[in-house]
């Protein structure tokens, strides 16, 4: 069997970046939430807000730590597997990725330590300021990385000279056509992720009857947010799609499963796209709807996949189905928001068990939506890496063999499986401990430590090895300071 | 634009980043290498505590170096990483394991021994891989038109294995002298005891590498042997530092062994740069060949010049906050 280094590199990139992506979307949302909680506490001095903030800061610390670990891998991927791409695009992509790191560096150096370890060390106002700066920092990080990605989707402001990209206009390249949509859509996605996770965890605590006051407050806040953000996200997504129709029509055709350029295109609910026969093996759809959504005209003409030759088409099924998963999640989120407001109006929000249970389940919905959204964007761009300029085959590292790529792919899967099982397991322990257990900690020793260390929860129950006097089977690691 | 030599500025910045990384991550990687040999679990607690507050700042220099290379010297980035493909993977895997071990060991109870191993093995693999990178750099890379055309394991030769082991010994030396500075009692005594053997191991590798390097490459030979040049100052100073380590360990001095080890590293590093300058991808490309477009270098320079001083101040501050001895049994984070 021939191992294809291009395919394996694509799978490897998709694997490591998907892994990475789930952590930042959560931290971006959570950082803003924490900043809001800190602000509320600062204004009202109600300890419930401080409790919530302290708890979610612990969760933030763990998730942020895992984002950093997986992010370090990302910064070497371009060089190891896509070295021709790195070489050709470095004039633009290099500074962007560096700015991302520099931002993170700056953040980590300055404000993260104060946020995580300084609660009782610095004045309340300074702590709030640190929370705001951390939230701002996550946006700036996302800004740079999304600029890089959007430019690869809709390159602008640059010119290819002797095989190397040169920047003609930084502002045009940075604010390229798809960037505003992608950035907004992503920020909204992060807020929704934060909201649904916090809502799900709060609902769970309420079901268990724990810390009612704080958790009701949290749940209520999140549901208001969801009520407005979920429809807004659908709207932005629609605009995003219209923008793609203009710049990447083939991708949109794949999302719609539309092979022929035609008018009155139906919106397909279910279909089996088949690349071999260049048609759908079966389809169920709502007549004229796709034309209506994409062109705002009942009989509008929508370009089809056959506009380009089969080897310039992306893998249609992946794009088609990922898109449907994302939209389904989006619709479910809107539904969750609406049911929430109805229950609130009837005064049964905190006592409706089935609703609280379904909120628990819904906390994975945003992650599914985010990953499938990225699959639409990224797979839909194939075979291009820089749209219209460089293909994946041109970009791959020339010296890379299938065997090498397979080796590292398996390697990353094994390493991530081990490390992230531990991480996620630990995260669940933090969640299990809940909002109640807040202990004064020895901050002198903690300051400037790694993010994860801000969560003072032991890894598993049981005594410390070699310390028989240590009987703290209790939740918190009392001996740990 | 001709007034300032941007590639030169960037070479200095990245060179500075690399030595910062080597010195700072060096001693905490070194502690990881020494970990399995520590006298007892309490000593391991102290070892880890002595770097827990600072090690992650140390590692950020590596990320900055990686991204900075892509931005400022893309040719280096796009030749080194493919050439060192497997090594880079091992390096990252090692760093991930030890990074996570840092967090979870303090929180683990029954599974603690697993995290001990993750920390030790992760540190060893990462150090070895870094040492191989140094060796591969001395060896040079097989390229055609700016593209790496060698094989997957070209970086793994007897020579690079030697530099890999050498860097492991060097990091262990940094680790043991750091521990002398930060510990007391029987742990410090143990650190004193292992320092001289480690130093001898480093010097042996140093000697073999120095004798071998001129045969690896013609340019290097010329640079060292065509005439007695100023460049000989570096190995002389490095040896002087080695002698200082030896002497101060004998006198049971606490600070000087670590300072002298840093000196040993700095002068060896300068010697290495001097023998290859200005080639950044030996044997074919100089730093000017490898540079990205001036406007890109300038664009990033602005941000970096703003952030690096702040990071340095912060780094100094956190070392200051955590100065002094780490006491056994206190705060096993
Ligand atoms: C800065 C650039 C960038 C960013 C922010 C992302 N990607 Fe990406 N992605 C690439 C740059 C890239 C790439 C280097 O351009 C790849 C490698 C091969 C390819 O076709 O594009 C790619 C491929 C790629 C593929 C494989 C596509 C295919 O082979 O057909 C998937 C599934 C994803 N990515 C998923 C994601 C996810 C879930 C992301 C969420 C964070 C993401 N990407 C962010
Ligand atoms: C190819 C894609 C990506 C690369 C190369 C990359 C690179 C990195 C790196 C190196 C870090 C660690 C920084 C540190 O040392 O602290 C990091 C963290 C992070 N990344 Fe990514 N990333 C990618 C995709 C994304 C995406 C799509 C987002 C979100 C929109 C994102 C947002 C973040 C955030 C918020 C953090 C943590 C906060 C921080 O350290 O700034 N990244 N990323
Ligand atoms: C229900 C309404 C939604 C619509 C119509 C929609 C539309 C779209 C479209 C058209 C794209 C592809 C953009 C391209 O062509 O490159 C996209 C990408 C994406 N979507 Fe959605 N979306 C919806 C809901 C959501 C939700 C609820 C989330 C997450 C919480 C989400 C997260 C993403 C992400 C992360 C991407 C990839 C990044 C990007 O290109 O912006 N979407 N969406």
């Amino acid at each position: 069997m021939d191992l294809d280094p291009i395919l394996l590199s694509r799978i490897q990139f998709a694997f490591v970046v998907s892994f990475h992506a789930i952590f930042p979307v959560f931290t971006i949302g959570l950082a803003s939430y924490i900043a809001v909680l800190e602000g509320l506490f600062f204004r009202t001095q109600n300890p419930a807000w401080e409790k919530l903030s302290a708890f979610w800061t612990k969760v933030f610390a763990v998730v942020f730590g895992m984002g950093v670990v997986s992010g370090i891998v990302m910064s070497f991927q371009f060089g190891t597997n896509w070295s021709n791409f790195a070489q050709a695009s470095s004039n633009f992509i290099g500074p962007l990725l560096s700015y991302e790191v520099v931002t993170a560096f700056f953040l980590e150096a300055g404000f993260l330590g104060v946020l995580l370890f300084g609660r009782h060390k610095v004045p309340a106002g300074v702590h709030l300021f640190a929370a705001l700066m951390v939230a701002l920092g996550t946006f700036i990080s996302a800004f740079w990385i999304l600029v890089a990605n959007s430019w690869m989707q809709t390159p602008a402001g640059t010119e290819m000279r002797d095989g190397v990209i040169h920047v003609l206009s930084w502002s045009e390249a940075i604010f390229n056509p798809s960037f505003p949509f992608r950035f907004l859509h992503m920020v909204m996605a992060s807020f929704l992720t934060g909201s649904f996770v916090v809502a799900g965890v709060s609902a769970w605590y309420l079901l268990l009857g724990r810390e009612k006051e704080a958790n009701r407050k949290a749940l209520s806040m999140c549901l208001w947010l969801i009520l407005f953000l979920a429809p807004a996200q659908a709207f932005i997504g629609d605009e995003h799609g219209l923008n793609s129709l203009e710049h990447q029509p083939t991708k949109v055709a794949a999302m719609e499963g539309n092979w022929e350029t035609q008018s009155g295109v139906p919106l397909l609910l279910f279909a089996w796209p088949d690349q071999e026969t260049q048609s759908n093996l079966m389809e169920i759809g709502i007549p004229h709807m796709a034309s209506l959504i994409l062109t705002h005209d009942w009989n509008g003409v929508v370009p089809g996949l056959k506009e380009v030759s089969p080897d310039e088409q992306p893998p249609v099924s992946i794009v088609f189905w990922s898109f449907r998963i994302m939209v389904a999640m989006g619709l479910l989120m809107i539904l969750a928001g609406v049911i929430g407001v109805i229950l609130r109006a009837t005064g049964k929000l905190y006592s409706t068990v089935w609703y609280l249970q379904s909120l628990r389940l819904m906390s994975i919905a945003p992650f599914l939506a985010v990953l499938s959204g990225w699959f639409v964007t990224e797979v839909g761009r194939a075979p291009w890496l820089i749209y219209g300029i460089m293909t994946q085959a041109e970009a791959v590292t020339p010296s890379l063999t299938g065997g090498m790529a397979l080796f590292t792919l398996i390697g990353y899967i094994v390493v991530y499986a081990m490390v992230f099982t531990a991480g996620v397991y630990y995260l669940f322990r933090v969640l299990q401990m809940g909002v109640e257990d807040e202990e004064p900690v020895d901050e002198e020793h903690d300051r400037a430590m790694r993010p994860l260390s801000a969560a003072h929860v032991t890894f598993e129950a049981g005594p410390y090895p070699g310390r028989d006097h240590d009987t703290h089977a209790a939740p918190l690691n009392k001996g740990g300071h | 634009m001709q007034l300032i030599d941007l590639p030169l500025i960037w070479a200095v910045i990245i060179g500075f980043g690399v030595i910062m990384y080597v010195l700072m991550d060096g001693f905490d990687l070194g502690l990881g290498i020494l970990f399995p040999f520590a006298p007892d679990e309490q000593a391991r607690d102290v070892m880890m505590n002595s770097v827990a507050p600072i090690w992650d700042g140390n590692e950020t220099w590596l990320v900055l170096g990686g991204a900075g290379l892509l931005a400022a010297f893309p040719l280096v980035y796009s030749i080194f990483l493919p050439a060192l493909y497997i090594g880079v993977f091992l390096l990252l895997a090692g760093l991930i394991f030890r990074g996570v071990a840092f967090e979870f060991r303090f929180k683990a109870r029954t599974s603690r021994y697993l995290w001990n191993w993750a920390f030790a093995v992760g540190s060893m693999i990462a150090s070895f891989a870094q040492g191989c990178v140094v060796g591969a750099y001395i060896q040079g890379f097989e390229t055609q038109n700016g593209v790496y055309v060698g094989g997957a394991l070209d970086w793994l030769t007897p020579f690079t294995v030697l530099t890999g082991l050498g860097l492991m010994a060097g990091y262990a030396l940094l680790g043991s002298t750091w521990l002398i500075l930060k510990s007391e009692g029987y742990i410090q005594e143990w650190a004193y005891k292992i320092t001289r053997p480690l130093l001898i191991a480093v010097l042996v590798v140093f000697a073999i590498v120095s004798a071998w390097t001129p045969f690896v490459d013609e340019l290097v030979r010329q640079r060292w042997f065509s005439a007695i040049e100023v460049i000989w100052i570096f190995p002389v100073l490095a040896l002087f530092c080695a002698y200082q380590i030896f002497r101060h360990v004998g006198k049971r001095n606490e600070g000087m062994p670590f300072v002298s080890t840093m000196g040993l590293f700095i002068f060896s590093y300068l010697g290495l740069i001097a023998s290859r300058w200005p080639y950044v991808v030996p044997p074919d490309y100089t730093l000017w060949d490898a540079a990205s477009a001036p406007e890109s270098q300038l664009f990033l320079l602005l941000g970096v010049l703003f952030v690096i001083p702040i990071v340095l101040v912060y780094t100094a501050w956190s070392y200051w906050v955590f100065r002094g001895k780490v006491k056994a049994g206190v705060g096993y984070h």
Side-chain angles (χ1 to χ4, degrees):
Chain A
M1 197 185 77
D2 246 1
L3 293 171
D4 177 10
I6 303 175
L7 182 66
L8 287 166
S9 294
R10 285 162 63 184
I11 296 173
Q12 173 170 321
F13 195 88
F15 175 72
V16 291
V17 81
S18 297
F19 233 110
H20 175 63
I22 48 184
F23 300 108
V25 276
F26 188 25
T27 38
I28 297 168
L30 205 51
S32 299
Y33 180 60
I34 290 170
V36 170
L37 290 174
E38 285 291 322
L40 285 170
F41 173 63
F42 190 73
R43 284 261 309 272
T44 64
Q45 293 297 316
N46 180 344
W49 296 126
E50 191 186 27
K51 234 181 199 175
L52 280 173
S53 168
F55 170 69
W56 285 107
T57 307
K58 278 195 270 186
V59 176
F60 178 81
V62 180
V63 181
F64 188 91
M66 294 203 275
V68 172
V69 171
S70 55
I72 292 176
V73 173
M74 295 311 305
S75 60
F76 291 93
Q77 282 292 309
F78 293 122
T80 50
N81 292 59
W82 307 101
S83 71
N84 274 358
F85 163 73
Q87 171 67 6
S89 67
S90 58
N91 282 335
F92 184 60
I93 299 283
L96 296 187
L97 292 187
S98 302
Y99 264 114
E100 206 260 3
V101 177
V102 164
T103 315
F105 210 161
F106 181 63
L107 239 183
E108 215 162 299
F111 303 104
L112 192 64
V114 179
L115 174 67
L116 297 185
F117 304 109
R119 183 174 301 278
H120 306 288
K121 281 271 172 225
V122 296
V126 176
H127 198 245
L128 170 62
F129 181 70
L132 286 170
M133 293 309 283
V134 169
L136 178 70
T138 59
F139 288 122
I140 301 178
S141 262
F143 173 87
W144 293 114
I145 203 75
L146 290 176
V147 167
N149 183 274
S150 299
W151 175 82
M152 290 163 75
Q153 306 280 349
T154 51
T158 53
E159 165 187 274
M160 190 83 148
R161 238 185 285 143
D162 308 326
V164 175
I165 295 284
H166 286 267
V167 182
L168 301 179
S169 154
W170 286 98
S171 60
E172 265 178 53
I174 289 177
F175 298 98
N176 59 73
S178 67
F179 171 72
F181 300 94
R182 187 162 285 112
F183 185 67
L184 261 186
H185 199 54
M186 191 69 195
V187 167
M188 285 288 189
S190 304
F191 284 163
L192 282 169
T193 308
S195 306
F196 270 99
V197 174
V198 174
V201 172
S202 311
W204 179 44
Y205 288 153
L206 286 177
L207 284 167
L208 296 174
R210 288 166 65 172
E211 281 287 312
K212 289 216 176 90
E213 197 208 340
N215 285 316
R216 283 185 177 181
K217 276 195 151 68
L219 180 62
S220 159
M221 259 171 93
C222 291
L223 287 177
W224 281 124
L225 261 178
I226 290 167
L227 182 65
F228 292 104
L229 291 187
Q233 177 72 326
F235 175 73
I236 297 169
D238 184 39
E239 295 291 309
H240 196 351
L242 294 181
N243 180 261
S244 296
L245 181 63
E246 191 182 330
H247 297 279
Q248 298 176 309
T250 316
K251 184 195 275 184
V252 176
M255 280 154 45
E256 300 298 341
N258 182 31
W259 296 93
E260 310 285 346
T261 302
Q262 52 186 335
S263 72
V265 178
L267 179 68
L268 299 181
L269 300 178
F270 184 90
W272 200 257
D274 181 23
Q275 216 119 6
E276 293 277 301
T277 61
Q278 296 278 301
S279 66
N280 295 328
L281 293 190
M282 72 196 265
E283 49 180 60
I284 305 168
I286 309 173
H288 292 275
M289 265 321 263
S291 281
L292 187 66
I293 293 174
L294 288 170
T295 63
H296 295 193
D297 173 359
W298 188 250
N299 282 315
V301 176
V302 179
L305 281 157
K306 287 190 188 166
E307 292 282 309
V308 297
S309 69
D311 58 341
E312 282 187 43
Q313 293 168 359
V316 180
S317 314
I318 303 181
V319 181
F320 181 85
W321 280 112
S322 303
F323 185 64
R324 270 148 196 73
I325 294 174
M326 171 178 65
V327 174
M329 292 302 134
L331 296 178
L332 272 180
M333 289 176 190
I334 298 177
L335 189 67
V338 172
I339 296 179
V341 85
I342 295 174
L343 287 177
R344 195 195 294 267
T346 56
K348 286 190 285 203
L349 182 57
Y350 304 117
S351 54
T352 311
V353 173
W354 65 264
Y355 183 64
L356 296 179
Q357 287 289 10
S358 44
L359 280 182
R360 266 183 74 190
L361 275 182
M362 281 295 283
S363 45
I364 54 168
F367 296 104
L368 276 179
V370 165
L371 287 184
S372 47
W374 275 112
F375 272 69
V376 175
T377 299
E378 303 288 304
V379 180
R381 167 178 44 154
W384 298 106
L385 197 84
I386 309 172
Y387 201 76
I389 295 180
M390 185 181 229
T391 63
Q392 294 166 342
E394 291 165 344
V396 77
T397 301
S399 61
L400 188 68
T401 62
M404 288 158 79
L406 186 67
F407 173 80
T408 53
L409 174 60
I410 294 174
Y412 281 117
I413 292 177
V414 171
V415 172
Y416 278 18
M418 285 159 64
V419 166
F420 288 89
T421 312
V424 171
Y425 164 78
Y426 182 67
L427 193 62
F428 274 102
R429 269 189 70 80
V430 175
L431 291 180
Q432 245 164 28
M433 291 304 140
V435 185
E436 299 93 339
D437 305 297
E438 184 50 27
E439 286 235 331
V441 294
D442 168 13
E443 272 154 1
E444 192 51 51
H445 203 99
D446 275 349
R447 204 160 354 141
M449 287 202 11
R450 285 283 304 177
L452 268 177
S453 311
H456 295 279
V457 175
T458 57
F459 196 76
E460 72 273 88
Y464 280 100
R467 274 169 228 280
D468 38 22
H469 60 276
D470 188 325
T471 49
H472 303 301
L476 273 172
N477 164 10
K478 296 202 182 73
H481 315 289
Chain B
M1 218 58 285
Q2 294 309 316
L3 284 179
I4 40 173
D5 190 346
L6 278 169
L8 192 63
I9 296 178
W10 269 104
V12 172
I13 293 178
I14 289 178
F16 177 72
V18 169
I19 189 71
M20 283 300 279
Y21 172 76
V22 167
L23 290 179
M24 302 202 332
D25 214 25
F27 67 77
D28 59 57
L29 283 164
L31 289 180
I33 296 170
L34 296 174
F35 220 55
F37 311 105
D40 60 13
E41 197 64 19
Q42 177 162 309
R44 283 192 264 272
D45 284 349
V46 168
M47 287 162 83
M48 229 179 189
N49 275 337
S50 73
V51 290
I54 42 186
W55 76 274
D56 83 308
N58 300 351
E59 231 153 66
T60 318
W61 290 97
L62 179 69
V63 182
L64 194 64
L69 266 188
L70 172 60
F73 299 108
L75 194 72
V76 181
Y77 183 87
S78 61
I79 289 176
F80 274 39
L81 290 181
L84 302 162
Y85 189 81
I86 305 282
V88 169
F89 167 73
L90 292 177
L91 171 65
L92 293 174
L95 290 180
I96 291 176
F97 272 118
R98 72 188 289 279
V100 178
F102 254 112
E103 307 301 340
F104 289 145
R105 181 178 177 276
F106 294 123
K107 302 184 168 100
R109 296 177 176 194
T110 45
S111 65
R112 178 169 287 200
Y113 73 100
L114 281 179
W115 299 115
N116 282 349
W117 280 112
F119 183 57
V121 175
S123 303
M124 290 177 190
I125 293 179
S127 311
F128 180 74
Q130 288 177 15
C132 292
V133 174
V134 177
Y137 172 71
I138 299 176
Q139 270 181 10
F141 300 91
E142 201 181 318
T143 58
Q144 253 167 33
N145 300 327
V147 168
Y148 177 70
V149 291
L153 293 176
D154 284 10
W155 59 278
L156 198 66
T157 61
F159 182 70
T160 60
V161 169
L162 184 72
T163 53
L165 294 175
L167 196 68
M168 282 175 77
Y171 281 171
L173 181 66
L174 269 176
S176 74
T177 51
W178 167 261
L179 195 60
I180 290 175
L181 185 66
K182 299 296 282 188
S183 67
E184 50 195 7
Y186 75 99
I187 303 173
Q188 190 186 40
E189 201 40 51
W190 172 70
Y192 274 124
K193 220 174 64 206
I194 58 173
T195 296
R196 278 183 177 168
L198 284 172
L199 177 63
I200 291 169
V202 172
L203 289 178
V204 169
V205 177
F206 190 82
I208 304 177
V209 171
S210 308
W212 195 332
T213 307
F215 300 100
V216 173
D217 185 79
E218 182 58 27
L219 178 99
V220 181
R221 181 161 61 227
Q222 274 178 16
R223 189 146 292 171
W224 287 94
F225 296 111
S226 58
I228 297 295
E229 300 211 43
V230 272
I231 163 174
W232 282 94
I233 190 85
F234 297 122
V236 169
L237 284 172
L239 284 177
F240 175 72
C241 290
Y243 167 69
Q244 289 297 322
I245 302 171
F246 201 79
R247 200 166 69 93
H248 286 290
V249 166
K251 294 204 304 195
R252 289 294 185 262
N253 243 329
E254 295 196 329
M256 281 314 283
F258 183 63
V259 174
S260 315
T261 310
M262 291 206 292
L264 177 65
F265 265 88
I266 292 173
F267 292 122
S268 314
Y269 178 69
L270 289 176
L272 179 66
I273 294 182
S275 56
R276 276 306 196 182
W277 183 268
Y279 288 89
V280 284
V281 186
D284 297 322
Y285 301 101
T286 68
L287 60 104
W288 293 280
D289 301 329
S292 59
E295 63 272 15
S296 302
Q297 292 199 330
L298 193 63
F299 181 70
L300 185 59
L301 189 63
L302 303 177
V304 166
L305 287 185
F306 172 70
V307 168
I308 286 193
I310 298 177
V311 169
L312 286 175
V313 169
Y314 167 78
T315 308
W317 175 76
S318 55
Y319 277 78
W320 173 252
V321 168
F322 296 102
R323 70 194 178 281
K325 298 282 183 194
V326 177
K327 299 246 184 325
V330 176
Y332 32 116
H333 278 274

